[in-house]
Amino acid sequence: MAGPLPIADPAPADGLLPNQARLGAESRTFHGYVHIPFCRVRCGYCDFNTYTATELEGANQSDYAEILIQEIAFSAEVMAKSNVPARKLSSVFFGGGTPTQLPAADLTRILAALSETFGILPGAEITTEANPDTVDLEYLQQLATGGFNRISFGMQSAVDSVLKTLERTHNPANVSKAVAAAKQAGLEVSVDLIYGAPGESLDEWRESLETALALEPDHISAYALIVEDGTKLARQIKSGQLAEPDEDLQADKYELAESMLEKAGFGWYEVSNWAKLDSVASTNSHQSAHNLSYWNSQDWWGYGPGAHSHVGGVRWWNVKHPSAYGQKITDGISSAAGRETLDDRVRLEERILLEIRIATGVSIELAKQVHQDAAKLIAGFIADGLIDAASAIQGQIKLTLKGRLLADSLVRQLLG
Ligand SMILES: C[S@@+](CC[C@H](N)C(=O)[O-])C[C@H]1O[C@@H](n2cnc3c(N)ncnc32)[C@H](O)[C@@H]1O
Ligand code: SF4
């Protein structure tokens, strides 16, 4: 969602998908992403496709659910006319922006439209992101009654000075209230943390991890702060007002997260994601099924401005501004700004890029298909302690802790 949209072919106004989209669809699962592009204020580090009230240029939060519901109807029509086999949804994720800026009734209405249109598989994971300041028990109970079973809170840090640098407006005390209320409403809880804000010490990061663990969530995401071009944070760093994140300190913070989360009974399953292990069988049932569907190249339709979709190697993305998006939907035409049909080589490369970052790893066979010296590279990775030797013998590339810190470099070498 971040940054400018890719440059590619124009998408047809009727949205119809090429043949490739339906090939093999029976063996892939289908998922829904719903983008809610509203925030009360913009945090200095964030370049997500989101708008404050003054940036909406005529778009209206109160009409938004209705417009999204029209895109849901449009998507079902496009899939049917393109002969993509109908499948029930395996997961739904509401992201933003701040989905909980909208009334709970709007979110549950959108979810009901997805359910009526496609059906939702029993036990499917239904998540919304939330800013801790925007919810209370009544709101969360409404979500749970309407079919949501998981919530992901943007906690980011427990330290006042770090939250200030990040320009987060929430009161840290609200996080524990919001998490307690979510549990009372029967929702699975995840919290997002960010490490590496300018000036954040290792001890401050430890404090954030301890505070997050004390909340006893089911899942924790810990993201290294990315300094995105065009953000206020990038300008503050460029002008020398704030220090650039230090790479060695970032690595220490990642290692600290791994050791504290592991001790607390969490297992990593993607480079930035840890799920609480069930005590009985050490299974990892709290992993995000929705995010795993992205990393395993399944099919999803992304609803809303700037949202990306992927069906069978056909990828498209909607126009970014809610006002331009709303106009296209109202006109009954596709809201896609561009689209690309990936060839076999690019699909393979994408699989390597995504699957190497998950704990189950990527198969050596795939790596060999994209790099003629893959075997030699892999032998080097084992010698350097970057991938697990026993798994490599079984045919899988699985990152060690050291490898997780250098995941991007390994990918560059494998695709080089
Ligand atoms: C859409 S936001 C989450 C929901 C809500 N808007 C909030 O911030 O509380 C998704 C997550 O992306 C992460 N994020 C956003 N910008 C980031 C950046 N520049 N670097 C690292 N993580 C970032 C944050 O952890 C954030 O919680
Ligand atoms: S609240 Fe979330 S989406 Fe909104 S600006 Fe902040 S990080 Fe970005």
Side-chain angles (χ1 to χ4, degrees):
M1 203 74 51
L5 293 172
I7 300 159
D9 309 332
D14 61 13
L16 290 190
L17 298 170
N19 266 346
Q20 182 177 316
R22 67 163 180 264
L23 298 178
E26 293 84 357
S27 62
R28 297 189 300 270
T29 48
F30 179 52
H31 307 259
Y33 171 76
V34 179
H35 190 66
I36 311 289
F38 309 121
C39 286
R40 201 172 57 75
V41 289
R42 179 179 283 276
C43 310
Y45 59 89
C46 176
D47 87 334
F48 279 62
N49 190 38
T50 188
Y51 302 82
T52 58
T54 56
E55 298 167 340
L56 283 174
E57 294 171 19
N60 204 327
Q61 289 193 32
S62 53
D63 300 339
Y64 189 66
E66 212 38 64
I67 294 174
L68 268 185
I69 289 169
Q70 287 178 43
E71 193 191 353
I72 292 170
F74 182 83
S75 71
E77 225 178 273
V78 165
M79 302 257 267
K81 284 190 188 153
S82 308
N83 297 317
V84 178
R87 286 158 295 169
K88 290 189 178 182
L89 288 157
S90 292
S91 70
V92 180
F93 192 100
F94 285 59
T98 307
T100 46
Q101 274 291 108
L102 292 184
D106 279 2
L107 302 188
T108 55
R109 206 148 61 86
I110 298 164
L111 181 60
L114 282 169
S115 174
E116 281 155 25
T117 308
F118 297 107
I120 294 181
L121 287 173
E125 177 190 281
I126 315 288
T127 306
T128 185
E129 286 181 339
N131 184 315
D133 273 346
T134 54
V135 296
D136 58 17
L137 179 60
E138 193 190 335
Y139 186 101
L140 295 166
Q141 279 169 335
Q142 258 181 285
L143 289 185
T145 309
F148 285 82
N149 50 33
R150 187 170 180 275
I151 191 156
S152 170
F153 287 113
M155 172 179 175
Q156 321 310 354
S157 170
V159 177
D160 278 330
S161 60
V162 175
L163 289 169
K164 207 161 157 215
T165 307
L166 292 173
E167 299 198 321
R168 291 293 298 193
T169 55
H170 71 258
N171 173 353
N174 283 348
V175 179
S176 61
K177 281 189 211 147
V179 168
K183 287 184 186 174
Q184 198 180 332
L187 301 170
E188 287 253 318
V189 174
S190 176
V191 295
D192 284 352
L193 295 173
I194 289 184
Y195 58 96
E200 182 193 54
S201 67
L202 193 60
D203 279 338
E204 285 171 332
W205 173 234
R206 181 181 288 110
E207 187 180 332
S208 288
L209 285 162
E210 274 166 0
T211 311
L213 285 169
L215 300 170
E216 300 190 347
D218 304 292
H219 183 280
I220 295 183
S221 302
Y223 300 113
L225 178 70
I226 300 170
V227 181
E228 303 278 8
D229 284 346
T231 56
K232 183 172 173 196
L233 177 72
R235 288 192 293 280
Q236 288 169 314
I237 289 177
K238 205 168 167 209
S239 71
Q241 193 187 334
L242 291 176
E244 211 162 329
D246 174 296
E247 269 186 36
D248 290 340
L249 184 57
Q250 285 295 72
D252 291 346
K253 287 178 180 171
Y254 185 83
E255 286 177 357
L256 181 65
E258 169 60 24
S259 97
M260 288 177 65
L261 293 174
E262 198 205 340
K263 261 192 214 118
F266 285 74
W268 81 282
Y269 68 101
E270 193 272 346
V271 170
S272 306
N273 288 278
W274 288 258
K276 180 103 188 133
L277 296 171
D278 287 327
S279 46
V280 185
S282 277
T283 53
N284 223 330
S285 61
H286 302 289
Q287 294 176 354
S288 163
H290 187 82
N291 285 336
L292 278 167
S293 78
Y294 295 154
W295 301 323
N296 286 312
S297 308
Q298 301 300 315
D299 289 350
W300 68 91
W301 193 294
Y303 299 93
H308 286 228
S309 302
H310 170 263
V311 179
V314 182
R315 203 160 52 182
W316 67 96
W317 44 91
N318 283 346
V319 291
K320 282 187 97 169
H321 199 281
S323 158
Y325 164 80
Q327 192 56 54
K328 287 197 183 269
I329 297 290
T330 312
D331 292 346
I333 58 173
S334 164
S335 47
R339 153 170 124 180
E340 55 192 2
T341 302
L342 309 181
D343 63 23
D344 289 348
R345 165 88 195 180
V346 177
R347 286 179 87 177
L348 260 179
E349 289 180 355
E350 291 226 328
R351 280 191 60 188
I352 290 172
L353 188 95
L354 294 166
E355 290 173 27
I356 203 168
R357 296 174 62 87
I358 51 182
T360 44
V362 62
S363 98
I364 291 179
E365 263 323 298
L366 282 194
K368 283 184 175 163
Q369 288 175 43
V370 295
H371 199 304
Q372 57 181 9
D373 284 334
K376 209 162 129 195
L377 274 177
I378 289 163
F381 294 159
I382 295 173
D384 292 340
L386 298 170
I387 66 171
D388 179 56
S391 307
I393 292 168
Q394 310 282 331
Q396 282 296 106
I397 301 173
K398 291 190 188 176
L399 299 178
T400 58
L401 176 56
K402 191 174 166 195
R404 276 146 69 189
L405 288 164
L406 295 170
D408 292 343
S409 152
L410 264 67
V411 168
R412 273 196 301 276
Q413 293 177 61
L414 283 171
L415 302 184

